[in-house]
Amino acid sequence: MNKPEMKEEKKRNKDILDVVDYKLDPSLVNKYNGMTFFIKTYGCQMNEHDTEILSGLLSQMGLIEVRDYENSDIVILNTCSIRENANNKAYGMLGRLKHIKEENPNLIIGICGCMAQEENVVNEIIRRHKYVNFIIGTHNMHDLCNILDKSITSKNLEIEVLSKADKQVENMPVIRSNNFSAYVNIIYGCDKFCTYCIVPYTRGEQYSRKKEDILKEVDELVKDGYKEIILLGQNVNAYGKDLYKDYNLGNLLEDVAKKNIQRIRFLTSHPWDFTDNMIDIISKYKNIMPNIHLPVQSGSNKILKLMGRRYNIEEYKKLFDKLKNARENMTISTDIIVGFPQESEEDFKNTLDLVDYCKYDNAFTFIYSERSGTPACKLNDSVPMNIREERLQRLNEKVNKYFKENNDKLVGSTQKVLVYGKSTKENMYYGYSENYKLINFTSKNIINDGDIINVKITHSKTWSLDGEECE
Ligand code: SF4
């Protein structure tokens, strides 16, 4: 049994990890032919991509993915711990699985993802959720097949969670969720240690994938006909810092942009690591999409300092303006936390002023959520929950006003849309414009997922646009 320790997770040793190729123990190939699995994914795109890899690993054992967890032999929760709410959702699901297991004692339940790296979560599962069969951490996800096999054989709770990564594993099998837009990991972990954030502990030390491995994966995706590549990391703008002296995200973006790929996106960006050279590359290559996610978190310098964000609001605005001017039609989205400890009404008003300045095209707004063990938990003067809620409401009213105003400006324009599929609205399809507007549209033609087509915008809403296919 290996349990995570937060003290160990916090340590950084700056070693370059060995890179090894994934290999499945031959005795496990197709060992569980015909058994079924279901993975419930919580959280960000990194987790969504991890689920694609977990599916790839399990399918090598002969397992078949199903959409209905109630009739699955194995259920895995790929968890997120960014906010308490995310943890609560996973615990709620565990409660439902407990009832199913009472009816079907052979059900195998596994937990992976960020919650698996939380020392207190693992202890809680040992104490109160003994029906769970295995817990596997983010650093040894490649070991899933061995641990699943061990838990099926031993019938005990198997816990294999490393506090730190000991190697980087390449060439893991992956079952992608579609055949036109693909995630590609470029950097793992985070060394920023924003004071409210659990990620530097759960995802560990920042380490980049070698550029050769990334470009090889991109080449394969191009060969397979993918139209869009989304480069992923907790902080992609730190790419290369741990590996190279003179190769960073800008260089990588340029190398990817030179490939025959129609759309390139990347997330998430920390403003502190955004360089002018990266902005130059974004303005130079038209297949890098004009949409940047640039989390600000607060409009108050006092709160940014307490959050350990390493920039002030004047620097953020300067960067925002540069990016906005880098490309025609550039859209910028953000993340904002309200109710951080010691946030006064004046600090909050600074956040509202910043929103008036930036007029974001999208914003993910959150109430501050204490994460056990992080430095922000030790700050005094927490903001009462009713004030946090009231601020969130005021903030949402403001950001929504700008979403709608920005969308109104697009009515009558023609947008190039990458088709994602049939919309939930009758007789409509949906997809995303180059600057990442969600567009529902009609067409008289046969439309396939992954097509890139022109859509004339006819109507705007707060979070989406309506249109019709045009020449
Ligand atoms: S940069 Fe992002 S992932 Fe890293 S500590 Fe800050 S908020 Fe967390």
Side-chain angles (χ1 to χ4, degrees):
M1 176 190 293
N2 271 313
K3 282 167 56 181
E5 283 178 45
M6 202 165 182
K7 222 167 78 196
E8 284 302 306
E9 290 177 333
K10 192 178 173 189
K11 288 185 187 160
R12 296 296 186 258
N13 57 17
K14 302 286 170 207
D15 287 346
I16 293 181
L17 297 178
D18 286 341
V19 181
V20 299
D21 270 338
Y22 176 75
K23 249 193 227 109
L24 176 65
D25 176 344
S27 70
L28 295 181
V29 175
N30 291 329
K31 179 168 178 182
Y32 294 103
N33 242 343
M35 272 175 79
T36 56
F37 73 92
F38 173 92
I39 305 176
K40 174 79 183 158
T41 311
Y42 300 88
C44 64
Q45 289 90 345
M46 298 279 285
N47 260 18
E48 283 175 24
H49 186 40
D50 282 352
T51 290
E52 294 179 332
I53 294 169
L54 296 169
S55 301
L57 295 169
L58 294 176
S59 66
Q60 290 208 326
M61 298 172 91
L63 290 157
I64 299 162
E65 186 160 13
V66 292
R67 288 173 181 274
D68 167 17
Y69 69 86
E70 292 181 356
N71 292 308
S72 180
D73 298 313
I74 299 162
V75 178
I76 298 176
L77 307 189
N78 187 9
T79 59
C80 165
S81 52
I82 198 85
R83 273 169 281 282
E84 197 183 350
N85 192 24
N87 285 47
N88 290 342
K89 280 187 193 164
Y91 280 126
M93 182 69 177
L94 270 185
R96 289 195 285 284
L97 293 174
K98 183 182 177 196
H99 290 304
I100 296 174
K101 194 153 178 166
E102 280 161 7
E103 303 287 313
N104 170 18
N106 292 326
L107 174 66
I108 304 288
I109 302 171
I111 296 177
C112 63
C114 287
M115 277 174 72
Q117 292 291 151
E118 284 190 88
E119 196 175 336
N120 53 356
V121 168
V122 171
N123 290 335
E124 167 94 357
I125 293 196
I126 294 170
R127 259 196 328 269
R128 297 189 46 217
H129 303 274
K130 291 190 169 43
Y131 52 90
V132 168
N133 297 78
F134 68 90
I135 308 177
I136 179 170
T138 57
H139 304 303
N140 58 329
M141 192 174 90
H142 51 269
D143 254 343
L144 174 68
C145 296
N146 290 326
I147 289 157
L148 171 65
D149 181 55
K150 211 165 141 191
S151 76
I152 292 175
T153 314
S154 74
K155 301 201 166 30
N156 293 325
L157 168 59
E158 300 290 342
I159 301 175
E160 285 302 329
V161 184
L162 306 181
S163 296
K164 302 174 82 58
D166 59 355
K167 57 177 161 304
Q168 212 183 112
V169 180
E170 283 292 333
N171 295 315
M172 285 191 273
V174 51
I175 298 181
R176 297 190 185 269
S177 59
N178 67 55
N179 58 7
F180 54 87
S181 176
Y183 293 126
V184 173
N185 285 327
I186 65 168
I187 183 167
Y188 302 98
C190 181
D191 288 350
K192 284 287 176 289
F193 285 100
C194 300
T195 59
Y196 53 85
C197 186
I198 193 84
V199 167
Y201 309 87
T202 59
R203 291 279 166 173
E205 185 163 352
Q206 181 175 289
Y207 58 98
S208 305
R209 279 179 80 197
K210 284 186 180 165
K211 60 183 175 182
E212 295 80 11
D213 291 327
I214 297 169
L215 295 172
K216 186 174 145 236
E217 187 174 346
V218 170
D219 280 336
E220 281 160 12
L221 291 163
V222 170
K223 206 169 80 205
D224 291 344
Y226 280 81
K227 304 269 176 67
E228 179 174 74
I229 282 179
I230 304 168
L231 305 175
L232 283 183
Q234 306 297 343
N235 173 17
V236 284
N237 293 59
Y239 175 75
K241 282 186 171 187
D242 53 313
L243 272 189
Y244 306 112
K245 272 208 183 81
D246 53 4
Y247 192 91
N248 61 28
L249 178 69
N251 305 107
L252 181 67
L253 278 174
E254 181 157 38
D255 282 344
V256 176
K258 285 179 182 162
K259 310 266 177 202
N260 185 20
I261 191 87
Q262 296 185 52
R263 292 187 168 204
I264 300 157
R265 301 187 187 278
F266 56 96
L267 61 144
T268 293
S269 295
H270 188 297
W272 199 69
D273 289 315
F274 231 122
T275 63
D276 285 350
N277 145 271
M278 290 172 196
I279 300 173
D280 289 346
I281 300 294
I282 292 165
S283 53
K284 184 170 166 194
Y285 290 93
K286 300 303 168 228
N287 56 349
I288 300 175
M289 293 295 100
N291 168 258
I292 309 284
H293 188 62
L294 194 68
V296 67
Q297 309 300 6
S298 170
S300 152
N301 281 336
K302 179 187 103 189
I303 298 299
L304 287 175
K305 200 158 183 214
L306 286 171
M307 287 176 161
R309 290 290 291 176
R310 306 172 189 222
Y311 53 82
N312 62 37
I313 220 58
E314 292 71 32
E315 289 162 339
Y316 180 89
K317 280 180 176 172
K318 218 164 131 190
L319 173 63
F320 178 93
D321 289 341
K322 277 188 198 167
L323 282 166
K324 220 34 196 174
N325 294 327
R327 289 275 289 279
E328 206 192 338
N329 295 334
M330 174 68 88
T331 57
I332 297 183
S333 56
T334 199
D335 295 336
I336 301 174
I337 297 170
V338 295
F340 191 78
Q342 301 177 25
E343 183 190 69
S344 65
E345 177 62 20
E346 194 193 331
D347 295 318
F348 175 64
K349 280 192 177 144
N350 288 336
T351 299
L352 294 180
D353 288 347
L354 180 80
V355 172
D356 283 329
Y357 183 89
C358 295
K359 302 180 174 61
Y360 293 107
D361 279 86
N362 202 357
F364 300 91
T365 56
F366 306 100
I367 286 178
Y368 168 68
S369 172
E370 288 86 358
R371 302 284 62 216
S372 165
T374 59
C377 272
K378 297 191 189 102
L379 291 173
N380 48 20
D381 292 336
S382 69
V383 178
M385 190 49 88
N386 62 333
I387 295 183
R388 295 188 210 184
E389 284 167 355
E390 183 250 357
R391 286 183 186 162
L392 182 69
Q393 198 183 334
R394 282 160 67 200
L395 175 64
N396 283 343
E397 278 166 21
K398 195 173 271 292
V399 292
N400 290 349
K401 177 177 97 99
Y402 288 117
F403 301 165
K404 178 72 167 78
E405 280 181 18
N406 291 337
N407 282 349
D408 286 347
K409 290 182 198 150
L410 295 175
V411 175
S413 70
T414 299
Q415 301 290 323
K416 272 207 175 339
V417 173
L418 172 61
V419 181
Y420 268 64
K422 285 242 161 71
S423 165
T424 46
K425 297 177 182 184
E426 214 177 322
N427 299 325
M428 288 185 109
Y429 300 89
Y430 81 101
Y432 290 89
S433 66
E434 292 190 332
N435 56 10
Y436 211 58
K437 295 279 178 184
L438 170 62
I439 299 179
N440 294 295
F441 64 95
T442 54
S443 172
K444 296 191 182 89
N445 301 314
I446 295 168
I447 302 283
N448 297 307
D449 297 359
D451 286 350
I452 295 182
I453 59 166
N454 286 326
V455 173
K456 173 116 177 171
I457 304 301
T458 54
H459 188 70
S460 82
K461 297 174 181 169
T462 304
W463 293 285
S464 65
L465 295 156
D466 287 348
E468 51 202 36
E469 190 194 2
C470 65
E471 289 299 306

